[in-house]
Amino acid sequence: MPELIILKLGGSVITKKSEEKAEVNEENLKRLVREIAEARRENNFRLMVVHGAGPFGHVPAKKYGLDRGLRDDTQLEGFSATHQSMERLNFSVVDFLRKEGINAIAYQPSTLGILKDKGLIYFPTEVLEKLLDMNMVPVAYGDVLVDEKTGINILSGDHLVPYLARKLKADRVVIATDVHGIFNLDPKKYKDAELIKEITSENVKLIREIGTSKRTDVTGGMERKLNELLNLAKYGIESEIISALKPGILKRALLGEKGLGTLIKK
Ligand code: ATP
Ligand code: IP8
């Protein structure tokens, strides 16, 4: 069976998150799908894509307080609106992939999974496995879900990726975002921030500051990624955070090159 890669395309790259606009960053998305298509032509691997939200999800989720659970019924309108906004973004991602000849198919989390206090407790993958075996490319995303404890809540793509990686026994996880990896300080705030090439639970204390981007973000940004991926590493699955802004890096990562960003290991 060809190796399975789970790729997260960060909302900071595929949307205009830095301008807080719920618009697709077509230039970035076009280049990234081309890199994916080229890598798939050069190597045979199964691919699952999960994309983040940017303002398509974070802004309405914050507006309706969806990350704090269901407190009154007006939030149900927010549930519906946030999901629809994410579906619009998902449509674009699938559409761009298809235009590059990739057999992508939308995979909608909100009608499938159940959270308990923001953690996935149920997410069936039988169909997903069959699609992957057929060499289709399912495209899921961060979304709003039913939550057994809080009523409703947010499923971050950064949580779905390690969940699926464990359940589907992925060979590799690649997280593509708008910085080169994890730095000792937020590189968007500090010019002298230093990239950490490998993070394990031993050297994690090298990080002096980690958090979210300066933009609206209800799911914890880089700190959440780090915690989720360190936990995944305990199960023997390594991951790498890379920059999707620098042309060529994603393709090289998909083709198996390591050390392009920050590797997260046991
Ligand atoms: P989305 O959540 O919308 O999918 P994303 O996954 O691409 O977006 P963010 O969650 O916005 O990305 O996280 C990336 C941001 O994390 C960077 O833009 C950076 O400003 C911020 N960040 C904070 N602390 C650090 C750090 N120590 N190292 C690297 N980035 C950091
Ligand atoms: O950007 C967030 O997904 P993420 C999903 O992957 C919503 O954290 C709806 C805000």
Side-chain angles (χ1 to χ4, degrees), residues 54-69:
F56 283 85
H58 292 286
V59 169
K62 176 132 194 193
K63 176 177 166 201
Y64 290 97
L66 304 184
D67 53 323
R68 287 181 280 125

Side-chain angles (χ1 to χ4, degrees), residues 60-107:
K62 176 132 194 193
K63 176 177 166 201
Y64 290 97
L66 304 184
D67 53 323
R68 287 181 280 125
L70 186 62
R71 291 152 182 227
D72 69 77
D73 282 355
T74 60
Q75 288 173 293
L76 295 177
E77 187 198 328
F79 190 167
S80 166
T82 306
H83 170 71
Q84 191 188 31
S85 179
M86 285 309 299
E87 268 206 331
R88 271 204 300 274
L89 175 59
N90 181 252
F91 180 88
S92 292
V93 177
V94 171
D95 199 40
F96 275 64
L97 283 163
R98 283 182 32 75
K99 283 183 180 137
E100 276 296 328
I102 295 169
N103 294 324
I105 184 158
Y107 208 78

Side-chain angles (χ1 to χ4, degrees), residues 167-191:
K167 207 162 167 195
L168 303 174
K169 299 188 174 55
D171 299 283
R172 282 191 299 123
V173 167
V174 177
I175 308 286
T177 185
D178 70 339
V179 287
H180 284 283
I182 297 183
F183 290 69
N184 62 339
L185 296 161
D186 183 347
K188 293 272 175 80
K189 286 203 237 157
Y190 300 91
K191 280 211 163 64

Side-chain angles (χ1 to χ4, degrees), residues 8 51-54 57-58 61 82 86 142-144 154-158 218-219:
K8 161 121 192 258
H51 65 80
H58 292 286
T82 306
M86 285 309 299
D143 204 351
V144 270
I154 308 294
L155 166 68
S156 172
D158 296 326
V218 295
T219 52

Side-chain angles (χ1 to χ4, degrees), residues 17 20 58 62 212-213 215-222 225:
K17 187 169 180 172
E20 206 88 283
H58 292 286
K62 176 132 194 193
T212 59
S213 70
R215 305 298 159 203
T216 308
D217 193 308
V218 295
T219 52
M222 196 56 90
K225 288 185 221 316

Side-chain angles (χ1 to χ4, degrees), residues 3 36 44 47 57 70 114 122 126 130 167 176 205-206 211 222 245 262 265:
E3 72 166 348
I36 296 170
N44 185 20
L47 180 67
L70 186 62
I114 301 177
Y122 176 73
E126 286 83 355
K130 296 226 182 309
K167 207 162 167 195
K205 42 193 170 298
L206 289 174
M222 196 56 90
L245 292 183
T262 298
K265 302 164 76 164

